[in-house]
Amino acid sequence: MGKTKHQGPVKLPKMPDPKHWVSMVPFGLGKVKPKHIRDTAKVVWENKDNLPYATRILTQGVCDGCALGVAGLKDQTLAGPHICTTRLNVLRLNTMPAIDKSILHQDISELRKRSSSELRQLGRIPYPLSRKPGESKFSRISWDEALDRIAGKLKTVDPKQLAFFLTARGITNESYYAAGKAARFLGTNHIDNASRICHSPSKTALKRSLGIGASSCNYQDWLGTDVLVFWGSVASNNQPVSTKYMYAAKRKGTKIIVINPYWEPSMANYWIPSVPDSALFGTKLADDVYQVNIGGDIAFMNGVMKHWFEMEKEHPGSAINRNFINEHTHGFSELKKHVEAQDWLSLETSSGLTKGRMREFAELLAGSESGVFVWSMGLTQHRFGTDNISQVANLAMLKGFIGREKCGVMPIRGHSGVQGSGEMGADPFSLPGGDFDSSKTRKRIEKTWGFKIPDWQGDIVGVSLENAVLPENHPRKLRAFYTSGGNFLETMPDPDFVKKCLESVDLRVHQDIILNTSTLVDAKEEVIVLPAMTRYEQPGGGTSTSTERMVYFSPEIKGPRMEEARPEWEIYTEVAKRVKPEQAHLIDFPDAQAIRNEIAEAHPVYDGIQHLKGKGDVFQWGGAWLCEDGECPTPDGKGNLLPIELPELRKPEGHFYVTTRRGKQFNSMVYSATDPNNSADRYDVLLHKEDANQLSLKEGEAVVVYNQFGTFHGRVRFANTRRGNIQVYWPEGNVLIPKGVYEKYAGIPEYNTAVVVEKAETYHAHKDTKYVEKRIEELETEIG
């Protein structure tokens, strides 16, 4: 682990610099942009019944929005106050009252008429609920009844027929740890979390390339690095406070580069509300954008490396860091041979970029002494996501952008709870402090926990759900599914199939703070709903880990409570104790502090979490930089340069690559039908104007997007996308995504594919003929 400690927040420049301004028109009047003042006023109005409590949450709690790590109104990157609309939108989940009983207990058919957004607005789940087949309403039950029924069922099922899932909804490290321990105590390794569905390729790739499973650097390393690259990441939309960091980086001379099929307006220009001159005149963020094909990143990076090797032949030392490569890496010769053998036509066709554009980026990086690479789901949610990230690691190692100031690789996290989830062991591939497949790790944890951990490999949640429809006598048929938050009807491909899977489970337990559409789906024997506390209600406080490995303490905050809501970690342990009462002492925790004490013992790098007890307490595990001075936590201390093959991306002429995007939303929680960054609505299909012209499509015209997996009805919206690539909103566009397609190393679902786009009238005129079938057959290979 690194020797250097994080230096703490730094100050922004006092004087503005007009060269970064977007326009002299104040507040971006007349432009398409987020309306921060209006949105803030709306949030104040929504929380008017609980404003004192809402204010305490914002000023005392650790943000339950993205994983930048804002505690109160401050963070460890920049001095001064930070707040964003994402955090404000999530705020109401913590302050709203209970659902009105007359609505909660109305006929289930009436509740099913509501969307998840409408269900969310009803309020909090007030007490345990039950609904069995044939019952048209939820019934109120006591906690003892609920826990006894759950435990009674779990006693009858084979542990391989039980699965747990935890979303990222403000869940604390303590809850993740308790859930992971409880699952193994009950004999199952089928436990998964939302983080793995987003960033498992990041962890898997960084482990094999660098021996690490998290960001190697800090947000502060963005400030003044020569080049800051955002790869498949729209941080301005998903982590809005990061725009303030980008502003600070620009003021220190950093070049910001975006690599994305769509030239995101919010990454071009942004009006940062907490920076006065930016709030007035906006800030030009990105200096350039490289619009790769969806799935074309590996080819693009191979092209960059191919240029570097050519530059090195002409002028040794002009492109790559030979000292770093020689002293701190393996595999250089194999990588060089692999890249040099690739032809430019293949690289250009796959990437969607010309040899000249790849040369421009290669020269920019070659001339940079420092660089930080940031990525998100644009790189990970492919069937070759792990290879994407190992390519990023290859670039970073070839330049020596590892283990020192203003350098690093950063999988930026979209939720405050997700970095800690796998690190706490709520993951089929992980235990606290190590990988599940390590017998050394299992033995160490068994010694700490005092019981045996099953040695069979657990399933990822997508496979667990599919197991629900296995034959009755199958040893892994899912019979009991326990989910803390989450809505698979809106997050997984093929919603109709997912609904069938949820209905096929004997017992489903939904531990949550609100209802969503999946809560209302039938089960074969019973659906039990358990009311959970938020992180701000958790007695004894809780902790969360940010993208940059900062572990923050979020105190319990005085305010109104759901009378029967319980801490998430406590519910898991109570269920486990009732299943195995004779071993209850092995799973019992008297309070949250006891969990932190055990985490410090079970996870060596988290030694320090036991001392976090008050507002503002924080520490960073691993030091400022992982792999400091080039020393990687691999068996021999060196990183691994890996030759990465080009994925096969084939589509017939006139067909399109498609990917999903986010709008005014937080995870699957949609807050507005209109995207504030481009004015698109949820059923708009973002399409390049020239592609539309070739199809004789006008803006606003009704179209059908279809493939062998599903059909999406939408309207044309012209956008600056890479030609041949379109975007649809998620989760609405999930109907187009193939089910059961998982990345082979990390098990992440595939969220990209190939489609046909046609005028709605053409599609409907021919839908009952062989025409549509033939068009689908032309889609020879799904893409990633």
Side-chain angles (χ1 to χ4, degrees), residues 740-762:
V741 179
Y742 302 104
E743 198 264 358
K744 65 179 180 179
Y745 299 109
I748 198 168
E750 167 79 289
Y751 277 95
N752 309 273
T753 189
V755 295
V756 180
V757 178
E758 286 188 343
K759 288 186 177 185
E761 61 185 44
T762 302

Side-chain angles (χ1 to χ4, degrees), residues 227-457:
V227 60
L228 175 59
V229 181
F230 288 92
W231 225 303
S233 171
V234 190
S236 53
N237 187 49
N238 300 320
Q239 297 93 1
V241 170
S242 70
T243 57
K244 195 170 184 178
Y245 308 162
M246 292 184 227
Y247 173 91
K250 298 288 292 185
R251 295 300 305 271
K252 286 181 174 288
T254 295
K255 284 188 177 297
I256 296 179
I257 305 298
V258 172
I259 301 171
N260 208 44
Y262 175 45
W263 190 190
E264 295 280 352
S266 64
M267 290 298 286
N269 304 313
Y270 204 86
W271 284 256
I272 306 164
S274 56
V275 179
D277 72 300
S278 180
L280 274 171
F281 305 117
T283 300
K284 300 173 186 174
L285 295 179
D287 293 279
D288 202 355
V289 58
Y290 291 81
Q291 291 181 264
V292 296
N293 278 329
I294 294 166
D297 303 278
I298 288 173
F300 176 57
M301 288 184 264
N302 275 333
V304 170
M305 288 186 277
K306 190 174 176 71
H307 276 305
W308 281 351
F309 296 142
E310 291 174 356
M311 293 162 69
E312 285 288 310
K313 286 180 182 176
E314 298 173 10
H315 302 287
S318 64
I320 60 178
N321 188 328
R322 290 180 175 268
N323 287 337
F324 188 92
I325 293 165
N326 294 336
E327 294 176 17
H328 301 295
T329 69
H330 292 299
F332 177 75
S333 297
E334 293 83 351
L335 175 62
K336 183 171 182 288
K337 181 180 178 181
H338 170 74
V339 169
E340 288 182 332
Q342 297 186 35
D343 66 277
W344 281 113
L345 179 59
S346 297
L347 296 177
E348 287 183 320
T349 303
S350 181
S351 70
L353 293 170
T354 65
K355 177 181 177 182
R357 281 293 276 160
M358 288 186 256
R359 176 82 183 198
E360 288 176 26
F361 188 61
E363 289 177 346
L364 173 64
L365 293 183
S368 300
E369 293 298 318
S370 59
V372 176
F373 298 149
V374 180
W375 68 89
S376 191
M377 289 177 286
L379 281 191
T380 60
Q381 287 188 330
H382 296 262
R383 68 176 188 276
F384 42 83
T386 296
D387 283 347
N388 273 341
I389 310 310
S390 280
Q391 277 285 72
V392 175
N394 283 340
L395 293 184
M397 284 187 277
L398 289 174
K399 284 299 300 174
F401 290 168
I402 295 291
R404 58 188 175 92
E405 187 179 12
K406 304 193 187 311
C407 292
V409 288
M410 177 180 285
I412 194 167
R413 300 292 194 162
H415 200 297
S416 62
V418 299
Q419 182 63 43
S421 57
E423 291 170 349
M424 295 297 106
D427 183 319
F429 306 118
S430 302
L431 289 169
D435 294 332
F436 176 81
D437 62 6
S438 165
S439 59
K440 182 180 178 182
T441 298
R442 286 205 304 274
K443 288 177 182 177
R444 178 176 59 80
I445 296 300
E446 285 174 348
K447 184 177 179 181
T448 300
W449 286 351
F451 57 84
K452 282 285 185 182
I453 297 170
D455 59 6
W456 48 271
Q457 176 59 58

Side-chain angles (χ1 to χ4, degrees), residues 128-132 135 139-157 480 482 507-509 525-530 575 578-579:
L129 301 165
S130 167
R131 194 172 64 83
K132 296 179 179 179
E135 294 179 349
S139 299
R140 180 176 183 172
I141 57 175
S142 70
W143 268 104
D144 280 336
E145 285 179 286
L147 296 174
D148 284 342
R149 289 186 194 181
I150 296 167
K153 180 63 179 179
L154 300 192
K155 287 178 182 180
T156 69
V157 303
Y482 193 127
L507 171 69
R508 272 202 341 271
V509 180
E525 294 179 5
E526 188 172 14
V527 175
I528 292 179
V529 182
L530 303 177
V575 169
R578 292 182 188 226
V579 176

